[in-house]
Amino acid sequence: MADGAELSRGRATAEMVAARANVSRVAVSRAFNPHTSLKPEKRELILRIAQELNYTPDRAARALVSGRTHLVGVIVPDVCSNWESQEIDALTTALQAEGFATLLFKTRTDYSMDEQLLAYMRGFNPDSVIAFVENVKARTLAKFLGRAVPIYVDYPLPGATSAREAGPLFDRLNILQRDGIDQAVALLQGYGVRRIAYLAGVEKSRANVARENTLRQVMAARGMEPPTVIAGDFGYDAAYQSTVNLFRVGEGADAIFAANDVSAFGAMDALRHELKLRVPEDVSVVGFDDIAQAHWKSYNLTTVKFDLDERVQALVRLILRRLNNPDAPALEETLDTRLVVRGTVGARR
Amino acid sequence: MADGAELSRGRATAEMVAARANVSRVAVSRAFNPHTSLKPEKRELILRIAQELNYTPDRAARALVSGRTHLVGVIVPDVCSNWESQEIDALTTALQAEGFATLLFKTRTDYSMDEQLLAYMRGFNPDSVIAFVENVKARTLAKFLGRAVPIYVDYPLPGATSAREAGPLFDRLNILQRDGIDQAVALLQGYGVRRIAYLAGVEKSRANVARENTLRQVMAARGMEPPTVIAGDFGYDAAYQSTVNLFRVGEGADAIFAANDVSAFGAMDALRHELKLRVPEDVSVVGFDDIAQAHWKSYNLTTVKFDLDERVQALVRLILRRLNNPDAPALEETLDTRLVVRGTVGARR
DNA sequence: TTGTATGCGTTATCAC
DNA sequence: GTGATAACGCATACAA
């Protein structure tokens, strides 16, 4: 009766478990920490009673003394942009399996809330922080972080040397986009495409800049004229509008290389529904990301793929390595991209 | 020098701020708590020095003594399903503005990880928990929760009385789907539709069951034959397949009412690309949710809308009300739905 | 308005 | 293998 009441509201404490099991509080603590010495049968008893009483160690208290919150901060501009949401999803699953929880923070791509947000986040003392280079400035991140070591997801510019920032520690996940872009351009070239337009993403975004620069480089290496660049913001509507302008006002193109899949969808819809052009017979389209919608029949998009699982595994690996060895020099992992061929690139007719 | 080193790694503590400002630690604490008495100039000084030293109160320590973690647990099956991600996005923004952070947990729709997940989550001691009825069983949730009062997002079945569970406290956000569904059916009827097929979602989902039952009721009230029900799982691929079957093997339909927007997209693509039927001239389509993609030109979907902002505001309101009054009886908020008319319902030809 | 003393629930250090 | 005791960083009741 009294037990039931105690049990239902206001979580049980280690002391209550200890009392029930006739052991000391310390024993209860040990029962929940694998690498401590405790007689097996005693541990078993304690765990059983803990379960009966619905006891779980309080992580806030644990964090206070151990210095580990088991919280991983994830800073994103848009949860609902398709790529981000798929990454957050997979990351949360993976972190959960390792005993961490995902703490979500939203920022803006214009850096306007960096300081406020980071100070706010620091209060939660995450063990690790995952940020995208384009969302938070490195210096600001360094300044506002507590003991957490941030992981930067970066898209290195072609030719740039491995970016080991001086001073503060920055672990890094590098995504090399060259392979995928080269495959895409080769495919386009093989189908007789000559004039490629690059449908840009948010201007400040490093992912975008790296994409454009790499595309330029690849095209030059293949003896092609530089791409026409048209404005975009990674979103559907801007892509739609820019594509219409390209063909109505501008000079058109044989192919559109979009900064991400969603932009590619916008471009395709503009081509088909507004400009009455066929894809790929009149214009080919290539995207970036390979989000789930890319295989939908309405689009069936040929796109440069980031392997989501690889990415998430690399991130988790970085987190664990850093936590096991807080003073190690900057860690780095690198991933490639590749082209997924579907139906939006083909012979011109 | 020494300061710089202190500052860069391992966060500053209240004591360090106090020392620098020549005040007691307590004054520092007060400076960060608005409703305490402290000479304004003193508070200002402390806050300035805190900023210099990059100090933020440690929330783990604060949680330990205040009993508030400022964490809101959100339990979802899929971050990346479109509706969820948009809701998480908006919710995170709103919570951030109120000083809370979103703690994300992934579960499964088959309840298979309920107990493990909830015990895990309780360790983090969230101040509040938001769950969807279909994802976690009420009894399990009650058993494993600490002091947090869960908020359930529910789609009440038509005719069911307000579902105040006996025993433990459950706050609730009810979404009434009747208005939107009635508007949709009226519109379809007005365009001469007679045979409606309901493209179902995950079978166990209450959202799905409520949608189907309400649709039945509304159609009966309007003197229509009951809908044909075809299988689905809220996803694109199943919707595509089911729609093809409906027309190839089954008896077809004048209109498809899909359990959500993504299903509607799958149905539309099947109709147009596989079955060579026109939407809406041959078959009308209606969806549910009004996700961002619904207005894309390829789909331009007529759909039953949940107002995202209203939803998020209601949730935040529930959280704050509960926190301000922990012993209040079960709180409840109720929202309506309405039809957004776009281009997938029209005259049959 | 301000400072002192106490406790939040846990793990780490040290004895035994 | 086990138990006492001291931290962890902060907020509050109380005294001044």
Side-chain angles (χ1 to χ4, degrees), chain A residues 223-293:
Chain A
M224 301 176 78
E225 296 292 312
T228 310
V229 176
I230 58 177
D233 61 2
F234 290 127
Y236 177 94
D237 294 321
Y240 190 96
Q241 214 29 262
S242 271
T243 304
V244 171
N245 291 343
L246 174 65
F247 284 80
R248 288 262 167 81
V249 184
E251 54 195 357
D254 301 334
I256 294 180
F257 206 133
N260 68 346
D261 287 349
V262 174
S263 293
F265 299 157
M268 287 177 68
D269 282 354
L271 290 168
R272 287 172 171 166
H273 300 284
E274 187 95 21
L275 300 163
K276 310 299 179 194
L277 293 169
R278 292 165 306 164
V279 177
E281 293 85 347
D282 298 319
V283 183
S284 287
V285 176
V286 179
F288 249 107
D289 285 352
D290 194 28
I291 62 178
Q293 287 88 328

Side-chain angles (χ1 to χ4, degrees), chain A residues 104-333:
Chain A
L104 215 51
F105 296 95
K106 272 198 67 176
T107 183
R108 302 215 190 98
T109 45
D110 61 2
Y111 305 123
S112 64
M113 54 186 293
D114 271 25
E115 304 219 341
Q116 188 198 340
L117 174 71
L118 289 173
Y120 178 68
M121 186 184 70
R122 186 186 44 200
F124 290 96
N125 249 315
D127 287 344
S128 184
V129 172
I130 298 177
F132 297 79
V133 273
E134 46 228 42
N135 302 339
V136 185
K137 281 186 186 154
R139 295 185 50 183
T140 320
L141 191 51
K143 180 178 164 203
F144 277 90
L145 236 40
R147 64 170 173 280
V149 176
I151 297 176
Y152 251 155
V153 179
D154 192 16
Y155 303 87
L157 301 182
T161 162
S162 169
R164 244 168 247 264
E165 314 265 337
L169 231 43
F170 278 104
D171 296 339
R172 243 186 167 86
L173 175 60
N174 295 311
I175 316 282
L176 300 182
Q177 310 186 94
R178 176 151 194 136
D179 286 0
I181 292 177
D182 190 58
Q183 292 162 12
V185 173
L187 186 71
L188 289 169
Q189 215 174 11
Y191 279 115
V193 164
R194 307 190 42 168
R195 299 173 307 146
I196 296 180
Y198 177 66
L199 171 49
V202 171
E203 215 179 336
K204 292 179 184 173
S205 151
R206 288 207 21 146
N208 174 55
V209 174
R211 269 159 218 185
E212 180 181 332
N213 287 7
T214 308
L215 180 62
R216 271 181 199 290
Q217 223 179 55
V218 164
M219 287 174 69
R222 295 184 161 273
M224 301 176 78
E225 296 292 312
T228 310
V229 176
I230 58 177
D233 61 2
F234 290 127
Y236 177 94
D237 294 321
Y240 190 96
Q241 214 29 262
S242 271
T243 304
V244 171
N245 291 343
L246 174 65
F247 284 80
R248 288 262 167 81
V249 184
E251 54 195 357
D254 301 334
I256 294 180
F257 206 133
N260 68 346
D261 287 349
V262 174
S263 293
F265 299 157
M268 287 177 68
D269 282 354
L271 290 168
R272 287 172 171 166
H273 300 284
E274 187 95 21
L275 300 163
K276 310 299 179 194
L277 293 169
R278 292 165 306 164
V279 177
E281 293 85 347
D282 298 319
V283 183
S284 287
V285 176
V286 179
F288 249 107
D289 285 352
D290 194 28
I291 62 178
Q293 287 88 328
H295 86 272
W296 289 8
K297 280 290 194 304
S298 278
Y299 298 113
N300 195 30
L301 182 70
T302 295
T303 188
V304 176
K305 180 191 182 67
F306 304 109
D307 194 300
L308 189 57
D309 288 335
E310 274 184 12
R311 242 178 109 129
V312 166
Q313 282 167 27
L315 287 173
V316 172
R317 219 156 41 219
L318 282 173
I319 293 174
L320 296 180
R321 283 171 63 195
R322 169 59 58 201
L323 256 39
N324 288 334
N325 195 350
D327 297 320
L331 305 172
E332 214 164 349
E333 298 235 10

Side-chain angles (χ1 to χ4, degrees), chain A residues 7-11 50-51 53-61 63-64 69-71 77-82 84-86 88-90 92-93 95-107 113 115 117 119-120 122-125 142-149 169 236-237 240 262 265-266 269-270 272-274 293 295-299 326-327, chain B residues 7-11 50-51 53-61 63-64 69-71 77-82 84-86 88-90 92-93 95-107 113 115 117 119-120 122-125 142-149 169 236-237 240 262 265-266 269-270 272-274 293 295-299 326-327:
Chain A
L7 198 155
S8 63
R9 294 196 50 70
R11 68 279 142 225
Q51 191 154 11
L53 258 52
N54 244 307
Y55 165 81
T56 324
D58 182 331
R59 289 194 120 105
L64 200 56
T69 54
H70 288 254
L71 257 26
D78 279 308
V79 180
C80 60
S81 91
N82 291 274
E84 314 291 9
S85 72
Q86 287 176 33
I88 292 172
D89 191 292
T92 299
T93 307
L95 289 176
Q96 213 163 290
E98 298 288 343
F100 293 90
T102 306
L103 202 54
L104 215 51
F105 296 95
K106 272 198 67 176
T107 183
M113 54 186 293
E115 304 219 341
L117 174 71
Y120 178 68
R122 186 186 44 200
F124 290 96
N125 249 315
K143 180 178 164 203
F144 277 90
L145 236 40
R147 64 170 173 280
V149 176
L169 231 43
Y236 177 94
D237 294 321
Y240 190 96
V262 174
F265 299 157
D269 282 354
R272 287 172 171 166
H273 300 284
E274 187 95 21
Q293 287 88 328
H295 86 272
W296 289 8
K297 280 290 194 304
S298 278
Y299 298 113
D327 297 320
Chain B
L7 199 155
S8 64
R9 293 197 51 69
R11 69 280 140 221
Q51 192 155 12
L53 258 52
N54 244 307
Y55 165 81
T56 324
D58 182 331
R59 288 194 119 104
L64 203 54
T69 54
H70 288 253
L71 257 27
D78 279 309
V79 180
C80 59
S81 91
N82 291 276
E84 315 289 9
S85 72
Q86 288 178 31
I88 292 172
D89 190 291
T92 299
T93 306
L95 289 176
Q96 214 163 288
E98 299 287 343
F100 294 89
T102 306
L103 202 55
L104 214 52
F105 297 95
K106 272 198 66 176
T107 184
M113 55 186 293
E115 304 219 342
L117 174 72
Y120 177 68
R122 185 185 46 198
F124 290 97
N125 249 316
K143 180 177 164 205
F144 278 90
L145 235 40
R147 64 168 175 282
V149 176
L169 231 42
Y236 177 94
D237 293 321
Y240 190 96
V262 174
F265 299 157
D269 282 353
R272 288 172 170 165
H273 301 284
E274 186 96 20
Q293 287 88 328
H295 87 272
W296 289 8
K297 280 289 194 306
S298 278
Y299 297 113
D327 297 321

Side-chain angles (χ1 to χ4, degrees), chain B residues 58-346:
Chain B
D58 182 331
R59 288 194 119 104
R62 194 178 248 184
L64 203 54
V65 51
S66 73
R68 293 264 140 101
T69 54
H70 288 253
L71 257 27
V72 174
V74 178
I75 306 179
V76 289
D78 279 309
V79 180
C80 59
S81 91
N82 291 276
W83 171 261
E84 315 289 9
S85 72
Q86 288 178 31
E87 181 155 27
I88 292 172
D89 190 291
L91 194 57
T92 299
T93 306
L95 289 176
Q96 214 163 288
E98 299 287 343
F100 294 89
T102 306
L103 202 55
L104 214 52
F105 297 95
K106 272 198 66 176
T107 184
R108 303 215 189 98
T109 43
D110 61 2
Y111 306 121
S112 64
M113 55 186 293
D114 272 24
E115 304 219 342
Q116 187 197 338
L117 174 72
L118 289 173
Y120 177 68
M121 187 184 70
R122 185 185 46 198
F124 290 97
N125 249 316
D127 287 344
S128 184
V129 173
I130 298 177
F132 297 80
V133 275
E134 46 228 40
N135 302 339
V136 185
K137 280 187 187 154
R139 295 185 50 183
T140 320
L141 191 51
K143 180 177 164 205
F144 278 90
L145 235 40
R147 64 168 175 282
V149 176
I151 298 176
Y152 252 154
V153 180
D154 193 17
Y155 302 87
L157 302 183
T161 162
S162 169
R164 247 169 244 264
E165 314 264 339
L169 231 42
F170 278 101
D171 296 337
R172 244 185 166 86
L173 174 61
N174 295 312
I175 315 281
L176 300 182
Q177 311 185 94
R178 174 149 197 139
D179 286 359
I181 292 178
D182 191 58
Q183 291 161 12
V185 174
L187 185 72
L188 290 168
Q189 215 173 10
Y191 279 114
V193 164
R194 307 191 42 167
R195 298 173 308 146
I196 297 180
Y198 177 67
L199 172 49
V202 171
E203 214 178 337
K204 291 178 184 174
S205 150
R206 288 210 16 151
N208 174 57
V209 174
R211 269 159 218 186
E212 180 181 333
N213 288 9
T214 308
L215 179 63
R216 270 181 201 291
Q217 224 179 54
V218 164
M219 287 175 69
R222 295 183 160 274
M224 301 177 78
E225 295 293 312
T228 311
V229 176
I230 59 178
D233 61 3
F234 290 126
Y236 177 94
D237 293 321
Y240 190 96
Q241 214 30 259
S242 271
T243 303
V244 170
N245 290 344
L246 174 65
F247 283 81
R248 289 262 166 82
V249 185
E251 55 196 358
D254 301 335
I256 295 181
F257 206 133
N260 67 347
D261 287 349
V262 174
S263 294
F265 299 157
M268 286 177 69
D269 282 353
L271 290 169
R272 288 172 170 165
H273 301 284
E274 186 96 20
L275 300 163
K276 310 300 178 194
L277 293 169
R278 293 165 304 166
V279 177
E281 293 85 349
D282 298 319
V283 183
S284 288
V285 176
V286 179
F288 249 106
D289 286 351
D290 194 29
I291 62 177
Q293 287 88 328
H295 87 272
W296 289 8
K297 280 289 194 306
S298 278
Y299 297 113
N300 195 29
L301 182 70
T302 294
T303 189
V304 175
K305 180 190 183 66
F306 304 110
D307 193 301
L308 190 56
D309 289 335
E310 275 184 12
R311 240 177 111 129
V312 167
Q313 282 167 27
L315 286 174
V316 172
R317 219 155 40 220
L318 282 172
I319 293 174
L320 295 180
R321 283 170 63 195
R322 170 58 61 203
L323 254 40
N324 288 334
N325 195 350
D327 297 321
L331 305 172
E332 215 163 348
E333 298 235 10
T334 301
L335 294 178
D336 287 324
T337 53
R338 65 183 181 79
L339 186 69
V340 175
V341 179
R342 296 205 183 85
T344 55
V345 174

